[in-house]
Amino acid sequence: MTHDVVLRSRRAILPDGEHPAAIAITDGRIADIAAHDAPLPAHRDEDYGTLPLLPGLVDTHVHVNEPGRTHWEGFATATRAAAAGGVTTIVDMPLNSLPPTVDPEALGVKRSAADGQVFTDVGFWGGAIPANLGRLKPLHDSGVFGFKCFTAHSGVDEFPPLDPDRLHSALAEAARIDVLVIVHAEEPGMLDAAPAGADFAGFVASRPSGAEVAAIRQVIDAARHTGARVHILHLSAAEALDELRAARHAGLPVTAETCPHYLVLDAAEVPDLATQFKCCPPIRDAANREALWTALADGLIDCVVSDHSPCPPELKQGDFGTAWGGIASVQLGLSLIWTAARERGHSLSDVATWMATAPASLVGLHGKGSIAIGNDADLTVFDPERRWRVRGAELHHRHPITAYEGRELTGTVTATWLRGRPVGATPHGRLLSKE
C-alpha cells in the first residue's frame, strides 16, 4: 500500500526506548513502524536525520479562559503556543472561563467557542463546586475527562471550593460513576492563618508547604473512604511526598503531577517584586526542587504539565499580594524540562514518558502519548542541542509575559505533526470527548 506520509529519524522515541525508525502514517494514524531505511511507499517522505522524533506532548493542565475571559487567553492563541512547543493535545481547565464548565450547557458554550480555531486536539475538564454536587453524571456523560475541585479559594468567585464534607460527597459521587477527580490541594485554614506580605518572601510564607501537606492528607483520606480515583494537581511541596508514598503503598488510586516552574526555578532567584513568578502554590527552594526531581525519577510523581495560566499585563502589575497568580508556559515546557533533565542525567525517553505517555494515560487518551501502531500520528520533531534565549514577544500565547524572559534553554521544537499533518497557519485540531 501507499501511505500518506512516512517520517524517518535515527532517533525515534518509541515505547521501548530510542531507535532508528520510519513511521508510516495513513488516515491520520500510525500504520507501521519499520527500520529507518525501510522501503515504505508514501505520497510524502520526510527524513529528519539525527533530529529526535518524540510523541506529541499531552498537557492536561491548561487554562484557556475562553469564553468570558478571552482577553486573558483564547483557544487560538493557547493552542498555537502549545503546538509550537510540541504539544498536540491539551485538556482545558473548567475555570477562569465564563461560564465555568460545571454543567452540560456550559460545556456546550465552551465547545462552540473552541470549534474551528484550535491548532491542537482539545479535551475538557468539568468542575465540581458546591452548587453542582449530586449532578456530576450529566456533565460526565457529555464528555468531560473528569472533575476539578479546589479545597481553598480558586481565585475566582464563580468557582468556589469544596469544604471537607463536600469533598467527601464529590468523591463518593465520582466513585459511583468511575471518573477521575483532580484537586488543587491547599488547606484554607492554614492559608488564612499564615503571615502575608507584598514581596516574594511574604507571598511564599502565605502559602506554606504545610497547607499542601494537610490538604493532600485530607484528599487521600477521602479517597480511602470513598474508593474514588484522585489526582493531585501542581505539586510544589516536597514535604507532601511521604503522604503520596504511603497512599501508593496502601494501594490507593492516587496520582500526582508537577510543573516546569517547580522543577526549574529556585525561590532564591526570584526578585522581590517580579510578579511574573507568582503562582499558587508558590515556587520553593532548590532543595525542595531536587526532591521533586527525585520523586519524578522514582515514579512517585507521575507527570509534568504546564498549569498554563496567563492573564493581561495589568493583572500582573502591583505586588505579590495583589497580582494574579499564574505562569504562562505551554510553549516552553519541553525545552524547560529537557534543559533541566539532561543536566540530571535523564533521557529524552524519560521526558516523553513524563510529558506525553503518562498524562495521556492519566486521562484515558489511549490513542495518544506514544509512537505506536494504531495511535494518532501526533509527533514532535525536536532539536535537543540548539541553545536559544526566551523572548516573551516571540511566544504565541496572548500576552508577552513570561517568568522565563531572557533565560537560555537547550532544545527547541522544529516541527509538530497532528494526526499526520504538520501544524501550520490553519488550525486542524479536533475537540475531544471522553469515551
Side-chain angles (χ1 to χ4, degrees):
M1 66 178 297
T2 300
H3 299 286
D4 296 328
V5 180
V6 171
L7 302 182
R8 303 174 190 269
S9 169
R10 297 189 181 279
R11 300 184 62 189
I13 308 302
L14 305 180
D16 63 345
E18 183 178 307
H19 304 281
I23 315 300
I25 300 166
T26 300
D27 295 331
R29 294 185 181 273
I30 297 172
D32 195 9
I33 300 174
H36 175 264
D37 58 354
L40 296 169
H43 297 293
R44 180 174 180 178
D45 195 311
E46 293 273 353
D47 192 338
Y48 289 106
T50 59
L51 290 183
L53 195 59
L54 282 70
L57 305 190
V58 177
D59 192 338
T60 55
H61 196 149
V62 179
H63 293 270
V64 175
N65 306 331
E66 186 176 6
R69 290 190 174 98
T70 311
H71 59 296
W72 291 24
E73 183 67 289
F75 283 103
T77 49
T79 58
R80 186 168 185 174
V87 177
T88 51
T89 303
I90 69 166
V91 187
D92 173 53
M93 284 291 163
L95 73 157
N96 300 346
S97 57
L98 294 169
T101 313
V102 294
D103 55 47
E105 293 74 24
L107 176 62
V109 171
K110 181 166 281 192
R111 290 180 67 92
S112 294
D115 190 32
Q117 61 167 334
V118 293
F119 289 84
T120 69
D121 285 355
V122 178
F124 303 92
W125 293 107
I129 62 173
N132 72 349
L133 296 187
R135 293 181 287 111
L136 297 180
K137 189 175 187 302
L139 183 51
H140 176 248
D141 291 345
S142 297
V144 297
F145 282 78
F147 293 95
K148 180 178 186 178
C149 66
F150 283 74
T151 61
H153 195 278
S154 70
V156 290
D157 291 338
E158 68 272 7
F159 201 97
L162 302 179
D163 61 27
D165 289 341
R166 289 187 172 111
L167 175 66
H168 190 282
S169 296
L171 294 191
E173 187 174 356
R176 288 194 294 272
I177 58 178
D178 189 26
V179 62
L180 181 68
V181 177
I182 61 175
V183 188
H184 179 128
E186 290 179 283
E187 205 285 315
M190 295 181 70
L191 298 184
D192 291 342
D199 61 5
F200 180 68
F203 171 64
V204 174
S206 76
R207 317 289 295 216
S209 295
E212 276 191 86
V213 176
I216 288 170
R217 185 181 299 127
Q218 179 188 102
V219 170
I220 290 171
D221 187 61
R224 179 181 293 109
H225 285 92
T226 61
R229 294 185 288 124
V230 297
H231 178 73
I232 303 301
L233 296 169
H234 45 51
L235 180 69
S236 83
E239 290 176 28
L241 293 171
D242 286 344
E243 300 293 333
L244 291 173
R245 188 175 292 106
R248 296 279 182 88
H249 287 166
L252 298 178
V254 179
T255 53
E257 69 186 37
T258 194
C259 305
H261 36 280
Y262 302 127
L263 294 170
V264 171
L265 300 175
D266 174 2
E269 300 172 350
V270 178
D272 274 346
L273 296 178
T275 54
Q276 66 268 30
F277 292 90
K278 181 177 178 180
C279 55
C280 300
I283 296 158
R284 305 195 189 275
D285 62 32
N288 183 92
R289 179 188 65 195
E290 296 311 311
L292 295 179
W293 272 106
T294 298
L296 183 63
D298 291 344
L300 185 57
I301 296 175
D302 299 85
C303 54
V304 180
V305 292
S306 69
D307 192 9
H308 178 73
S309 186
C311 68
E314 58 269 22
L315 293 184
K316 278 293 190 183
Q317 295 175 356
D319 58 40
F320 275 92
T322 59
W324 176 259
I327 290 179
S329 65
V330 71
Q331 186 172 339
L332 299 174
L334 179 55
S335 296
L336 287 165
I337 293 302
W338 173 238
T339 301
R342 70 184 300 182
E343 293 173 353
R344 293 165 174 81
H346 297 294
S347 68
L348 279 173
S349 291
D350 295 330
V351 173
T353 296
W354 300 330
M355 304 188 75
T357 310
S361 176
L362 173 74
V363 298
L365 284 166
H366 302 298
K368 295 183 180 291
S370 62
I371 300 176
I373 293 174
N375 278 8
D376 287 349
D378 298 345
L379 301 155
T380 297
V381 185
F382 188 64
D383 183 344
E385 303 300 329
R386 184 187 166 209
R387 299 177 71 85
W388 62 288
R389 201 169 293 276
V390 177
R391 304 295 183 201
E394 298 172 359
L395 302 178
H396 292 295
H397 64 264
R398 189 172 297 280
H399 300 287
I401 302 171
T402 172
Y404 305 101
E405 184 71 41
R407 193 179 191 96
E408 187 174 85
L409 301 179
T410 301
T412 188
V413 173
T414 65
T416 304
W417 292 74
L418 175 64
R419 281 178 284 99
R421 293 170 58 189
V423 177
T426 302
H428 68 274
R430 293 179 181 173
L431 305 184
L432 307 176
S433 293
K434 174 71 171 177
E435 295 179 358

